[in-house]
Amino acid sequence: MPGQYSTLRAQRRAETQRAIQAHAIRLFTERGYDATTVTDVAEAAGVSPMTVYRHFPTKEDLVLLDQHGALVAERIAASPDVQPLVRRIGRALIESATTLTGGDDLAAGREFLLARLRLMISTPALRAKHLDNHYALQRSIVDALGVDAADPDTVLRIQAAASACLATLHTALVCWAEDDGRGQLPDMIAKALAAAFGEDATDPHG
Amino acid sequence: MPGQYSTLRAQRRAETQRAIQAHAIRLFTERGYDATTVTDVAEAAGVSPMTVYRHFPTKEDLVLLDQHGALVAERIAASPDVQPLVRRIGRALIESATTLTGGDDLAAGREFLLARLRLMISTPALRAKHLDNHYALQRSIVDALGVDAADPDTVLRIQAAASACLATLHTALVCWAEDDGRGQLPDMIAKALAAAFGEDATDPHG
DNA sequence: AACACGTTGGTAGTCACTACCATATTGGTA
DNA sequence: TACCAATATGGTAGTGACTACCAACGTGTT
């Protein structure tokens, strides 16, 4: 929230935030999400429960992914609009996944991502909110595609394509996590898209 | 939960349950979901808060749809398995929607359904849990399709198709509700499926 | 040195939800 | 008809997430 005019302040804040989240994921994985209270997390991180809420608005936000949404919307807006909708969205999803998993410096980042994914998949509350985040992402994708919203049929068409693509992405994430991240996530997404929409609609060489 | 060996008992129970839910939807619509406490609902229905929890495990269950899942799974299992996956699932969704909206005797039932849908769409907590219900429905659809689960690629293919179809269904529900239920829901679903997967994949005359 | 600001901690409260126990009414039975 | 089991409901007390409101302390700027 607050504007950081100081680097030292921002660094400290970022560090406590990182520590809180790291301890949270560890405890959630060890004892389970529901069996771990926010107070437990705060004690483990050496702060008060209030500080946890200052950095993460809800307990769920300790686990959920954050940057992914903006990444996808950017790529959508930057893509040429001559391709069919599904291919355009699908490519943005694949490229974003490449940035996410490949851009992370080392294996530790991937393990952290995997741990969060596993929690999201197995905990109903987390899974629900994560799916709702995808719904919000769907809205921003539709916005990024630049709809005039004059014709309700056009809106329905775009909304349907976007939601179907995102659901497929979620399925690919689940399968990737259940495979313990052995395969390549972008490949997984491409395969899932091809399965849902047909090979031709998502052919990377098209 | 309990087995109803008596009709009179079951009738009374069903009646209080119906009353609780009706008052809940009314209050949620009037004051907003978050601004209405379970105690408010209980008082309006003339029961104690505990009775509300006996009939509806969570506050969210006062709004969410229930029977839909079983309906879809049945139709999936009953459909011939020669068609492509997306068409098979899509048809089951359309037919279930026909049963839901057409089977309801009169307009009052449709208005009630619309009110619940509007709440589900506009309230984040409800929307999230509803989307998670769709995820559970996805699982039962995959089960109903009878997968041997030997090949992970096959599983991914079916999961992807099912999740994409259900996301499209959700989009159609939203569009239908935003249009105040003026159009026909099954048509809306068919249109959304065609937009996402192409006309040929869902052609009802195929 | 003084001042504004941002980070943290404390307290008290609301609300969803869960045991655990008591009570009354209903349905079938001796 | 009297009795008993099942069931629907109510009460109380408690947990845990989350939210004000206020106090204290450190940091960066003037």
Side-chain angles (χ1 to χ4, degrees):
Chain A
M1 291 303 226
Q4 56 275 32
Y5 57 90
S6 156
T7 30
L8 200 148
R9 280 244 240 261
Q11 275 180 6
R12 289 209 172 198
R13 183 178 174 83
E15 175 51 29
T16 59
Q17 182 160 334
R18 203 204 54 77
I20 290 172
Q21 192 180 33
H23 283 286
I25 302 299
R26 181 178 56 79
L27 289 178
F28 292 162
T29 304
E30 287 174 8
R31 313 181 191 169
Y33 178 79
D34 293 320
T36 308
T37 70
V38 174
T39 306
D40 292 339
V41 174
E43 283 180 3
V47 296
S48 92
M50 299 213 32
T51 303
V52 176
Y53 285 117
R54 286 231 174 68
H55 287 266
F56 301 90
T58 74
K59 185 184 177 186
E60 290 144 352
D61 288 309
L62 285 164
V63 182
L64 296 177
L65 311 174
D66 26 12
Q67 341 90 342
H68 194 236
L71 211 61
V72 173
E74 276 176 27
R75 293 202 176 264
I76 293 274
S79 70
D81 61 349
V82 293
Q83 308 171 3
L85 275 180
V86 169
R87 184 185 298 179
R88 218 175 141 192
I89 301 173
R91 280 217 183 175
L93 295 181
I94 294 172
E95 292 171 7
S96 302
T98 307
T99 307
L100 257 187
T101 56
D104 265 339
D105 30 319
L106 62 167
R110 212 201 46 171
E111 275 310 311
F112 191 61
L113 176 62
L114 267 174
R116 291 158 79 189
L117 264 181
R118 277 192 272 261
L119 284 168
M120 276 190 290
I121 293 168
S122 60
T123 309
L126 290 172
R127 197 176 51 217
K129 194 150 183 178
H130 179 242
L131 288 168
D132 193 47
N133 281 355
H134 271 193
Y135 181 74
L137 179 53
Q138 169 189 340
R139 292 296 178 132
S140 46
I141 286 180
V142 173
D143 285 350
L145 284 170
V147 190
D148 289 341
D151 181 21
D153 257 32
T154 307
V155 177
L156 173 62
R157 191 190 328 269
I158 302 183
Q159 294 275 5
S163 68
C165 285
L166 285 176
T168 309
L169 164 69
H170 182 255
T171 297
L173 282 174
V174 170
C175 289
W176 184 66
E178 282 177 350
D179 193 41
D180 287 326
R182 265 187 283 274
Q184 293 295 325
L185 180 56
D187 293 350
M188 214 81 163
I189 298 174
K191 211 184 292 180
L193 286 170
F197 302 101
E199 311 294 335
D200 50 326
T202 51
D203 181 10
H205 310 295
Chain B
M1 292 300 226
Q4 56 274 34
Y5 57 89
S6 154
T7 31
L8 200 148
R9 280 249 241 260
Q11 275 180 8
R12 289 211 171 200
R13 183 178 174 84
E15 174 51 29
T16 60
Q17 183 159 335
R18 201 204 55 76
I20 289 172
Q21 192 179 34
H23 283 286
I25 301 300
R26 181 177 57 79
L27 289 178
F28 291 162
T29 303
E30 286 174 7
R31 312 181 193 172
Y33 178 80
D34 292 319
T36 308
T37 70
V38 174
T39 307
D40 291 340
V41 173
E43 283 179 3
V47 296
S48 93
M50 298 212 33
T51 304
V52 176
Y53 285 115
R54 287 234 173 65
H55 287 266
F56 300 90
T58 74
K59 186 184 177 187
E60 290 143 353
D61 288 310
L62 285 163
V63 181
L64 296 177
L65 312 173
D66 27 11
Q67 342 91 340
H68 194 237
L71 211 60
V72 173
E74 277 176 27
R75 294 203 176 264
I76 292 273
S79 70
D81 61 350
V82 293
Q83 308 172 1
L85 274 180
V86 169
R87 184 184 298 180
R88 216 175 143 193
I89 301 172
R91 281 217 182 174
L93 295 182
I94 294 173
E95 291 170 7
S96 302
T98 307
T99 307
L100 257 188
T101 56
D104 266 341
D105 29 319
L106 62 166
R110 213 201 45 170
E111 276 309 311
F112 191 60
L113 176 62
L114 266 174
R116 292 159 78 188
L117 263 182
R118 276 192 273 261
L119 284 168
M120 277 191 288
I121 293 168
S122 59
T123 308
L126 290 173
R127 198 176 50 218
K129 194 149 183 179
H130 179 241
L131 288 168
D132 193 47
N133 281 355
H134 270 192
Y135 181 73
L137 179 52
Q138 169 189 340
R139 293 298 178 129
S140 46
I141 285 179
V142 172
D143 285 350
L145 285 169
V147 190
D148 289 342
D151 182 20
D153 257 32
T154 307
V155 176
L156 173 62
R157 192 190 326 271
I158 301 183
Q159 294 275 5
S163 67
C165 286
L166 285 176
T168 308
L169 165 68
H170 182 255
T171 297
L173 283 175
V174 170
C175 289
W176 185 67
E178 283 177 350
D179 193 41
D180 289 326
R182 267 187 282 274
Q184 293 296 325
L185 180 56
D187 294 350
M188 213 80 162
I189 298 174
K191 212 183 292 181
L193 287 169
F197 302 101
E199 311 294 336
D200 50 326
T202 51
D203 180 11
H205 310 295

